[in-house]
Amino acid sequence: MSYIKCVFHYTGAKQVLSGANIKSLFFKESSVVLHALLIVVVVAILIGVDLRYNSLGGVRSVLDTMATPIYWIADLPGRIMEWGDEHTRSRGSLLQENEKLRRENLVLSGRSQRMAALRAENARLRALLNSAALLRSDVLVAELLGVSPDPALHQLVLNKGARQGVFLGQPLIDNDGLMGQIVRVSEFSSRALLLTDATHSTPVQINRNGVRAIAEGSGRLGLLEIRHVSATTDIEVGDLLVTSGLGGRFPIGYPVAIVNQVERDPGQAFATVTAQPSSSLDRSRHVLLVFTAEQPE
Amino acid sequence: MSREQHGYWVVLGTFLIAYVLATMPFPAWLHRARPEWLALVLIYWAIALPHRVGVYTGALLGIGLDVLEGVVLGQNALSLTVLSLISLFLYQRLRVFNLWQQCATVFIMIGINQILCQWVLALQGLGDRSLWFLLPAFTSALFWPVILHLLRGLRRAYQVN
């Protein structure tokens, strides 16, 4: 009996030896290279399909839903800091802030009184001109879960998803102006592309005279490039650019950027125009998702 | 058999923590210097457990990172597959290198990782025109000794093999 046990013990030990130690000493390199090549081919096809055909929407939405908890955990320290900050404020500073907010509220409600009258007048005038009535838009407040860790991408992750009615292409604003649009929706979170991303373009018009243009993202935060503005166009430093509503993606009239540089070179067909986004793209923690009348159901 | 698989959850746990670190909000001025946490952890485990952590691990982890970063599906999968392959080639040498040699090797390995990512970004017309994209390779190499000691401690404490 003890002999058999001993043999078992011996073969067990041999197995452990050949299983772990020997294997880690002599690794089959050629088979690994084959496997790696196989993976690289599969991944190259994956990249091609995702880039060229953009047909992985459903899969990505499921994967994004699975990734949401990681964003939530990564955001936790910031959230705790904020909570701690809110709960350890002195009474004095709270009172002060309360007072400031009350004053601000008074000013805003004063302004909105005038808005009501103006809106009614605007509706009457539009009716006289036989143009379509501007529909009121509703908003959804969303909170930032994270920003894209890749500096090449200007993307935000928001804590509202398909469950809350967020849809693809939905405009995103903060209290100062347009921020971007939703490019990917998962169940409980969504991903927004900012105006300044190198792949984003916004149809705008100059608020002063209605000249239309396209504001392209530069890949740098705080800089938009207005391309193909002819050298004779009436555009000046300080002009406010608002959404033109062309293209049907963004509702008309939201502030986008302020022109901060105009260079007219007589040798060039187009002026070099840059603008600074009005919204605080890297500071806003709470953002608004706009629902317009033409939203796809 | 169960003895061989010992401590798998420790490896998984460190990868999860690396994911969280990779998505952690970073101050804007440090944004471009963020170390490649996942790549560092992957290199360590590929050196320590080359018979367990290999190219498939790299590819799967990469897909996960693609989803988290919101980049094209396959960008990090490609770079991390290559990274794990290089680690498998070099693990015997890396084990006997001193710390400085290891840091230099990690710098080169993560530099290759960054270059591959830049290629895929360039396919979309994105990415850097300058060499700033190599900055994470440098910061990652600086963090290598920390990662090495932490993970080695974990591996010994939980007898991962």
Side-chain angles (χ1 to χ4, degrees):
Chain A
M1 227 14 209
S2 69
Y3 167 71
I4 296 172
K5 232 185 200 168
C6 187
V7 168
F8 263 115
H9 189 76
Y10 173 68
T11 47
K14 219 167 101 180
Q15 235 173 21
V16 169
L17 254 179
S18 63
N21 301 13
I22 304 294
K23 222 190 241 171
S24 62
L25 279 179
F26 303 104
F27 206 74
K28 283 188 201 144
E29 290 192 344
S30 57
S31 82
V32 174
V33 172
L34 269 182
H35 283 276
L37 272 179
L38 183 75
I39 294 173
V40 167
V41 169
V42 171
V43 164
I45 292 171
L46 196 64
I47 292 174
V49 170
D50 198 10
L51 269 186
R52 180 73 181 76
Y53 300 104
N54 229 345
S55 53
L56 297 172
V59 180
R60 291 216 71 148
S61 143
V62 173
L63 289 173
D64 276 343
T65 309
M66 282 158 60
T68 309
I70 292 189
Y71 266 105
W72 193 84
I73 293 171
D75 191 40
L76 211 55
R79 210 174 280 260
I80 290 170
M81 292 269 279
E82 204 173 290
W83 186 87
D85 204 34
E86 271 172 18
H87 285 254
T88 54
R89 278 253 201 84
S90 73
R91 194 176 120 87
S93 75
L94 277 178
L95 279 176
Q96 211 175 350
E97 189 182 332
N98 208 342
E99 178 67 24
K100 202 188 111 210
L101 286 175
R102 201 174 292 155
R103 221 176 300 142
E104 212 173 280
N105 195 17
L106 204 65
V107 172
L108 286 178
S109 51
R111 246 184 242 167
S112 76
Q113 280 171 28
R114 244 178 45 216
M115 273 282 281
L118 283 175
R119 186 186 286 150
E121 187 184 339
N122 195 355
R124 267 201 309 281
L125 289 172
R126 288 187 84 89
L128 282 176
L129 288 168
N130 272 337
S131 53
L134 285 176
L135 285 151
R136 258 191 71 209
S137 46
D138 286 325
V139 292
L140 174 72
V141 180
E143 207 174 319
L144 222 64
L145 265 188
V147 293
S148 176
D150 196 327
L153 306 176
H154 292 190
Q155 290 185 351
L156 304 177
V157 180
L158 307 175
N159 70 346
K160 294 287 193 297
R163 282 286 168 88
Q164 285 85 17
V166 177
F167 58 92
L168 216 61
Q170 186 167 23
L172 182 74
I173 61 172
D174 72 353
N175 47 2
D176 292 320
L178 191 72
M179 289 183 82
Q181 59 175 307
I182 299 292
V183 286
R184 210 173 292 143
V185 184
S186 71
E187 209 59 37
F188 303 104
S189 68
S190 53
R191 206 171 259 277
L193 192 67
L194 292 181
L195 294 177
T196 49
D197 189 275
T199 58
H200 196 279
S201 294
T202 322
V204 293
Q205 64 186 17
I206 301 169
N207 199 29
R208 181 166 54 85
N209 52 17
V211 171
R212 290 182 302 274
I214 302 282
E216 285 182 7
S218 61
R220 276 195 287 156
L221 218 59
L223 185 71
L224 290 170
E225 287 167 353
I226 321 295
R227 289 279 169 80
H228 310 305
V229 176
S230 71
T232 53
T233 305
D234 178 18
I235 185 166
E236 288 164 11
V237 173
D239 274 347
L240 176 68
L241 302 172
V242 298
T243 47
S244 67
L246 294 176
R249 188 47 65 89
F250 299 112
I252 187 167
Y254 281 107
V256 175
I258 289 167
V259 176
N260 61 2
Q261 191 198 4
V262 181
E263 259 178 45
R264 291 195 173 84
D265 181 358
Q268 300 285 326
F270 299 114
T272 315
V273 184
T274 60
Q276 188 181 16
S278 343
S279 54
S280 33
L281 295 175
D282 55 345
R283 280 189 290 280
S284 317
R285 186 162 175 89
H286 294 272
V287 297
L288 300 173
L289 290 158
V290 184
F291 290 90
T292 42
E294 308 89 339
Q295 84 174 74
E297 284 297 325
Chain B
M1 269 322 207
S2 64
R3 196 193 173 288
E4 281 193 28
Q5 300 260 333
H6 200 85
Y8 237 34
W9 57 273
V10 176
V11 182
L12 275 178
T14 52
F15 283 142
L16 271 181
I17 293 171
Y19 274 137
V20 171
L21 283 176
T23 47
M24 198 73 96
F26 236 50
W29 56 279
L30 273 177
H31 201 53
R32 311 185 74 150
R34 178 196 294 269
E36 296 284 322
W37 301 110
L38 192 65
L40 282 174
V41 175
L42 177 66
I43 292 175
Y44 177 77
W45 287 122
I47 294 168
L49 313 167
H51 51 289
R52 298 250 168 272
V53 176
V55 280
Y56 287 101
T57 321
L60 279 178
L61 286 174
I63 293 279
L65 194 58
D66 289 331
V67 173
L68 277 183
E69 290 191 348
V71 294
V72 169
L73 219 52
Q75 174 182 317
N76 287 297
L78 177 71
S79 64
L80 290 184
T81 303
V82 174
L83 189 74
S84 49
L85 184 67
I86 300 172
S87 322
L88 288 185
F89 277 141
L90 295 182
Y91 76 97
Q92 280 157 330
R93 260 165 278 177
L94 269 167
R95 279 178 185 178
V96 295
F97 276 174
N98 66 34
L99 206 53
W100 291 116
Q101 286 170 316
Q102 281 190 2
C103 284
T105 318
V106 166
F107 173 74
I108 293 170
M109 285 164 81
I110 296 194
I112 292 172
N113 180 69
Q114 295 302 101
I115 289 172
L116 287 171
C117 285
Q118 281 296 311
W119 279 359
V120 180
L121 281 175
L123 285 179
Q124 312 153 64
L126 293 169
D128 249 321
R129 295 265 187 284
S130 62
L131 283 176
W132 279 108
F133 70 86
L134 286 177
L135 194 60
F138 184 69
T139 48
S140 302
L142 286 183
F143 272 98
W144 171 252
V146 181
I147 297 280
L148 182 70
H149 282 105
L150 272 179
L151 293 186
R152 188 190 276 159
L154 269 180
R155 185 168 65 88
R156 285 181 182 160
Y158 293 96
Q159 292 176 343
V160 186
N161 55 22

